[in-house]
Structure formats: structure tokens, C-alpha cells
Amino acid sequence: MSDERFILPGGVDARALPKVLLHDHLDGGLRPRTVVELAEEIGFELPERDPELLGRWFRESADSGSLTSYLSTFAVTVGVMQTAQALRRVAREAVVDLAEDGVIYAELRWAPEQHLGRGLDPDGAVRAVTEGIRQGIADARDAGRRIRVQQLLCGMRQGDRTAEIAELALRHQGAAPGQGGVCGFDLAGPEIGFPPSDHQDAFDLCAEEFFPVTVHAGEADGLDSIESALLDGRALRLGHGVRIADDIEVIAGAEDEVRAVLGPIAEWVKDRRIPLEVAPTSNLHSGGAGTLAEHPFDLLYELGFTVTVNTDNRLMSGTSTSLELTRLAAEFDYDLEDLAQFQYAAAEAAFLPSEDRDRLTDLIADGFDEARDE
Ligand SMILES: [Zn+2]
């Protein structure tokens, strides 16, 4: 199936490359048709009832520059994900869609506290998503694709249930890595005004159990938020983290050479190789105006930061991991070596045992070798 949108400069189809996806929201990646069908089952009012028009409504609302209309898209997806059956279906389809896009390992994140409106209990909700992921992995295998998937549970930073969600995450840790269980905790929601330090109990619980943490930080808010994610949250990765650029002063260098002075936080993030879960298209949408050329992704990569490429919300951003790669390659002239680097970085940053991460690295190397030979 040839589709120009996925073809990289040089002719390789980005979907054929093995990819690792660390930052993808379950409630941001539904198929429009599924939203329509789930809404019908529970009598949920939609802004559009035709799947194609609804898909467009999601993309346009997300890209309107208005936070209110951006958030209204999640009111719809979360609104139709309030039963075990709905959660199971959405998780299952997400895994199938990712596998179809060539993703070999993914961490899907979601906030259980937002799915209890129709009587579901938190443990039941997590069990439903776990089952859905397992079904999706089996479906993908039947279609000849290998994918491993885990969950991250998000506590909402504007709420007061993060410690409870951290405990929930700990209770549902996967016994077999990559088979649907929970592998870490995330802090999500409106960043400005809700610093990680407000949720010390949740982070302490995770730390005491040596349970991995990532935090949305440096997406809407700046360096203080990143600092709090690292110090108070003990985050092993940063969700987006792109505002780390605020701590970098670029100075004019010779042609093709980036020279910069790094502040202490940027230096720490770079030198400790703290992975940045960057989602370029989503960043442009949530950040209002701006073009990919102005996004700090390339600057961070050139300076040696550990950057990974993510989708964030596939439905709202009209994207996939492969599309993010083709967009970046077209904008910044990346070749297969660059794209492989992003995958190695993501594999190394996965919340998996080191042996499993090494295995992912081998799969990436083999897949990119194959693509080069074709
Ligand atoms: Zn996110």
C-alpha cells in the first residue's frame, strides 16, 4: 500500500521501520468510527455523527489555537470511554493501529480517575485496558506483526487523587514485561499552576517501590516545572520537556555548527541523558502558532540531548509515529541514521528490564539494515 505521506526522502516507507513509542494517550488515539459507535451505545451527544466529519472536527478543534476547544475534544473521547467494554475496545484497537504503523514497542498512557463516571471502579478500569492491550497484541500477531505494549497510569495534577493512582499503578504492575501491565506513573493535566511538588506523596510512593516515573513538564510551563519534575518527581523521563530550550543560549557559530551555552538544568538533562518525550505536531498545536522549523527538536538533537519522537494524541493531531518521522525528516533533512538514533534512544528509555531494551535495540538495528538494503 503506497501512501506518499509516509515516504521518506530516499524512498523508504517510514511504516516499514521498527519504531518505539513512549508517549501516546489512550484517550487521544481513538478511531473516529469507534467514537461514533461507542457514543451510540450510551446515547452520548457528538458534534458530528459521520466518522469522517468527526475526525476533521477533532483535528480542527485541536489546531484552533483555543485551549477550550482543544480540551473539548477530550471531553468527547473520555465521555465515550466510561465502561469496561469501551476501554477494552479502545485499548485493543490502539495496539492494532500502532502495530500497523510499524511500532514494535509502545507505552500507552491514560488517567483512570477520568473513566469512573458510569460506575466503573479504578481496578476494573485498569483490568479492562490490560485485557484490551493483550487482545490487541494477539490480533497484531495474527496479522503477522510483533508488538509489545505496556501502560502508564496518569495522575491528574489539578486533582487530589495522584497518590491513589500511584498505588493503583503499583498494584497492576505487569508480571511479564511488555504484555499489557502497568510499567510506570505519569503526571498529566494542566501544567501551569500545578507543579509536580504538589504531588509529593505520589512520587514518594513510586520512589519507595523503585517504580519508574515520567512527568509532563516543559510543555506549557518552563524551567521551574522541569526542575520540580526532576527533583520532586524523580522523573526518569520528561513528557515533552521542550521548554528546556529556555535554558539554552544559542550563539552564532560557523556554518552548520550549533554552539550554545547551557544553563544548569539543561546541562543536567543533556549530560545525564534524561530522555525527552517530544511530540512535535502536538507541541505546535498546544503551543498555538509556530511551524515545525521553529520547534526546538532539531536544536536539542544537534546539541546531544536524548530526544525521542512521539505522537501524544494521534486522533487530535492527525498523526502517527511514521508521520512524525516523515515530517521531521522533510523539515530537518534527517536520514535513516538520524531516525534510527531516535528509536535507539526510545528503546533505551523504555520502562523495561535492560535485557528487553537490548532486544528492542537489536530489532531496530535489523529493521533499519533491511530498509537500507532495499
Ligand atoms: Zn501527553
Side-chain angles (χ1 to χ4, degrees):
M1 218 184 357
S2 178
D3 182 334
E4 254 178 53
R5 295 174 307 150
F6 296 100
I7 306 302
L8 295 161
V12 171
D13 188 323
R15 290 171 299 180
L17 300 170
K19 293 171 290 293
V20 171
L21 175 57
L22 301 177
H23 193 132
D24 185 274
H25 291 264
L26 198 59
D27 53 323
L30 290 77
R31 300 173 185 170
R33 181 173 299 281
T34 299
V35 179
V36 170
E37 289 174 11
L38 292 176
E40 265 166 23
E41 283 170 20
I42 57 169
F44 186 94
E45 186 99 29
L46 291 176
E48 298 285 352
R49 289 170 64 180
D50 172 76
E52 197 164 317
L53 294 178
L54 183 65
R56 191 181 307 159
W57 176 83
F58 275 111
R59 293 190 297 277
E60 286 175 356
S61 305
D63 195 17
S64 67
S66 144
L67 184 63
T68 318
S69 69
Y70 187 74
L71 292 177
S72 72
T73 61
F74 288 93
V76 170
T77 55
V78 169
V80 301
M81 293 166 69
Q82 297 293 327
T83 63
Q85 189 207 355
L87 284 172
R88 214 178 287 126
R89 175 174 176 180
V90 170
R92 179 179 189 167
E93 293 178 352
V95 173
V96 169
D97 292 350
L98 295 180
E100 189 109 326
D101 191 48
V103 173
I104 58 168
Y105 172 78
E107 293 174 9
L108 288 170
R109 63 185 73 195
W110 63 293
E113 66 197 88
Q114 296 189 312
H115 300 267
L116 312 177
R118 286 178 186 249
L120 204 53
D121 69 279
D123 290 280
V126 178
R127 273 196 298 274
V129 170
T130 308
E131 285 163 14
I133 291 176
R134 288 191 185 146
Q135 288 167 344
I137 292 173
D139 291 347
R141 195 187 306 122
D142 290 346
R145 293 181 179 272
R146 288 290 177 134
I147 184 169
R148 302 177 74 193
V149 181
Q150 310 198 93
Q151 295 172 62
L152 295 166
L153 296 193
C154 308
M156 300 305 289
R157 60 207 312 157
Q158 74 275 34
D160 57 6
R161 299 182 75 164
T162 47
E164 184 195 335
I165 300 302
E167 279 173 348
L168 180 69
L170 288 164
R171 274 205 296 285
H172 290 271
Q173 286 183 71
Q179 299 303 310
V182 178
C183 66
F185 175 77
D186 173 39
L187 187 66
E191 190 181 352
I192 295 171
F194 301 100
S197 53
D198 286 354
H199 302 280
Q200 202 59 63
D201 289 354
F203 293 125
D204 287 350
L205 275 166
C206 294
E208 283 159 17
E209 297 294 328
F210 295 104
F211 191 61
V213 167
T214 178
V215 172
H216 278 78
E219 180 186 18
D221 207 354
L223 293 174
D224 288 347
S225 178
I226 293 175
E227 187 174 5
S228 182
L230 295 170
L231 300 183
D232 304 309
R234 281 152 285 185
L236 298 176
R237 310 193 307 233
L238 294 170
H240 303 288
V242 290
R243 291 279 305 271
I244 197 70
D246 295 1
D247 206 26
I248 299 171
E249 190 196 345
V250 180
I251 44 181
E255 218 172 315
D256 280 348
E257 184 200 9
V258 191
R259 292 184 56 207
V261 179
L262 272 55
I265 303 174
E267 200 167 72
W268 177 260
V269 169
K270 171 185 160 285
D271 289 341
R272 296 304 113 218
R273 300 195 205 282
I274 293 165
L276 305 176
E277 306 162 354
V278 184
T281 303
S282 174
N283 294 154
L284 297 181
H285 287 171
S286 63
T291 63
L292 190 52
E294 295 158 342
H295 191 285
F297 184 94
D298 186 57
L299 172 71
L300 295 170
Y301 176 51
E302 292 292 332
L303 290 176
F305 283 80
T306 302
V307 289
T308 67
V309 179
N310 300 275
T311 48
D312 208 17
N313 301 298
R314 285 171 287 119
L315 172 61
M316 289 77 174
S317 292
T319 196
S320 72
T321 316
S322 295
L323 280 175
E324 291 297 311
L325 293 182
T326 51
R327 288 169 187 164
L328 286 170
E331 182 63 49
F332 298 119
D333 272 336
Y334 293 148
D335 59 18
L336 286 181
E337 300 313 315
D338 298 307
L339 304 187
Q341 284 310 315
F342 308 147
Q343 307 318 312
Y344 291 133
E348 189 51 37
F351 290 159
L352 278 170
S354 59
E355 298 79 10
D356 298 74
R357 306 205 312 258
D358 291 345
R359 173 89 189 109
L360 283 181
T361 300
D362 292 343
L363 291 172
I364 293 163
D366 291 349
F368 274 77
D369 276 348
E370 246 169 67
R372 266 183 222 106
D373 292 344
E374 263 167 28

